[in-house]
């Protein structure tokens, strides 16, 4: 028996693939497909062993065969042969009492359609179509979500690269505070890149043409998933780096506000260890656990929640510490305002007194940006930390997915705008450079 899939079987197999991919989120559907193919391989092997062991009947008969869908025994001419629905179907529990049929012709040949494709009636083995409308709606919703986060990550990546160029090119912006911002931008940029690379690899992988069984074996092999797993590891690392660079931002701001005396050079090295080194401590054991215990697909599923918590606990810890620092910073700012602004009714005058009270204005602007970002991202992580894709269903799952994808994809854009393009120091420096450029190129500026 050859391993080439006939046109009729390819059609039913693509239907099976579509149903599998609709069964859950994309990564979950891929897991269902992988399990289905493994069960199909087992079904095929059992069928071949059975055909090899059973004796052949005498006289004219239709040959036993495996037609890539079901296992058929020898058939008597002129009768319809019925076998149970194959157990590899993901919806087998719903159709386990159903039958698939083929007809043996009077000439001892299985009846075919168009002279080549085997005729079979597998209507009793098809999944009920009552949920088709709901599944189509879910598919469209997931496509919309993908468009949403693709736009978000693309916009974030473009903005983050621009912000990094600004902080790198303008020498007057070189300081510990902006170095921390730049590292935060880099972590968000790497995260956006890893997500888009993973999507591209998945689209390329699942979009390949499948003609032979060997194509399916290659599709579902561990080697084919290496690139996707590498992107998944980078994404998890960058997610942790995002949170710990936020923690660095909060710690640095808090030290500025309380007037701590320290060597910025020495502390910057510690900040680098905290922002880039801490994620390694948790990603490495997570990778080991996934490789040894859940080495399937893109490592996106969480069958054993203990492995999932290897990544989530440090994220939750960083978010909680950020929220505590957030409240402490608010307390410090309010205390300084009360102590130094009594008697000033005008808001602008009150703000200007901050400098006299020991809080420079650029510290105050940095505080406003940080106090905007910490609750936005920290509360989001705390609220959804216990609501995983595997534990949420129905409308709650879609709400959770929407907010998670929206916030995650547009985070980089918000960070770049608040810490760079909305920063008065940056805008002032860019304005100076623009004016100098116009003075150096009067012919271009005054061409009209």
């Amino acid at each position: 028996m050859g391993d080439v899939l006939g046109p009729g079987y390819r059609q039913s197999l693509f239907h099976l693939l579509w149903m599998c991919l609709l069964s859950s989120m994309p990564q979950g559907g891929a897991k269902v497909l992988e399990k289905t193919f493994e069960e199909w391989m087992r079904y095929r092997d059992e069928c071949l062993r059975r055909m090899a062991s059973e004796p052949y009947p005498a006289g004219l008969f239709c040959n036993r065969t495996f037609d890539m869908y079901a296992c058929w025994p020898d058939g008597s001419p002129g009768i319809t042969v019925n076998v149970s629905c194959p157990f590899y179907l993901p919806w087998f529990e719903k159709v386990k009492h159903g039958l698939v049929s083929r007809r043996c012709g009077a000439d001892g040949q299985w009846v075919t359609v168009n002279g080549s494709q085997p005729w079979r009636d597998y209507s009793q083995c098809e999944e009920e179509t009552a949920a088709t409308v709901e599944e189509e709606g879910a598919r469209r919703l997931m496509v919309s979500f993908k468009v949403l986060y693709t736009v978000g990550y693309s916009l974030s990546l473009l903005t983050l690269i621009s912000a990094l160029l600004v902080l790198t090119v303008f020498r007057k912006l070189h300081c510990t505070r902006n170095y921390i911002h730049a590292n935060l931008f880099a972590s968000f940029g790497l995260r956006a890149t890893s997500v888009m690379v993973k999507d591209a690899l998945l689209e390329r992988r699942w979009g390949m043409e499948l003609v032979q069984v060997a194509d399916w074996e290659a599709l579902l092999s561990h080697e084919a998933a290496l690139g996707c797993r590498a992107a998944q590891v980078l994404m998890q690392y960058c997610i942790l780096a995002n949170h710990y660079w936020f923690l660095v931002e909060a710690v640095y701001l808090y030290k500025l506000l309380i007037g701590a005396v320290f060597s910025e050079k020495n502390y910057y090295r510690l900040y680098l260890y905290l922002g880039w080194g801490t994620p390694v401590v948790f990603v490495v054991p997570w990778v080991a656990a996934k490789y040894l215990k859940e080495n399937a697909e893109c490592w996106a599923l969480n069958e054993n929640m203990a492995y999932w918590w290897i990544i989530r606990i440090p994220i939750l810890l960083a978010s909680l510490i950020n929220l505590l620092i957030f409240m402490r910073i608010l307390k410090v700012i309010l205390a300084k305002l009360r102590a130094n602004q009594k008697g000033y009714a005008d808001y602008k005058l009150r703000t200007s007194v901050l400098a006299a009270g020991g809080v420079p204005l650029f510290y105050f602007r940095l505080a406003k940006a940080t106090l905007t970002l910490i609750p936005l991202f920290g509360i989001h992580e705390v609220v959804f930390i216990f609501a995983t894709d595997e534990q949420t269903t129905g409308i709650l799952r879609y709400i959770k997915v929407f907010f998670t994808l929206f916030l995650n994809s547009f985070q980089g854009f918000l960070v770049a705008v608040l810490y760079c393009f909305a920063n008065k120091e940056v805008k002032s420096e860019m304005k100076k450079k623009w004016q100098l450029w116009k003075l150096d190129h009067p012919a271009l500026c005054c061409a009209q």
Side-chain angles (χ1 to χ4, degrees), residues 191 380 384 399-409:
R191 178 178 179 177
H380 150 254
F384 291 124
I399 293 174
K400 185 257 182 182
V401 169
F402 171 78
F403 280 104
T404 300
L405 292 179
F406 178 80
L407 290 175
N408 287 347
S409 60

Side-chain angles (χ1 to χ4, degrees), residues 224-263:
L226 286 178
C228 182
R229 291 173 186 171
Q232 179 75 9
V233 171
L234 177 61
M235 185 180 71
Q236 296 296 342
Y237 173 81
C238 292
I239 290 173
L240 281 167
N242 292 161
H243 287 83
Y244 279 89
W245 276 108
F246 265 129
L247 179 58
V248 169
E249 292 276 2
V251 170
Y252 180 78
L253 174 61
Y254 180 68
K255 284 185 170 292
L256 292 179
L257 291 176
I258 64 175
V261 179
F262 57 91
S263 169

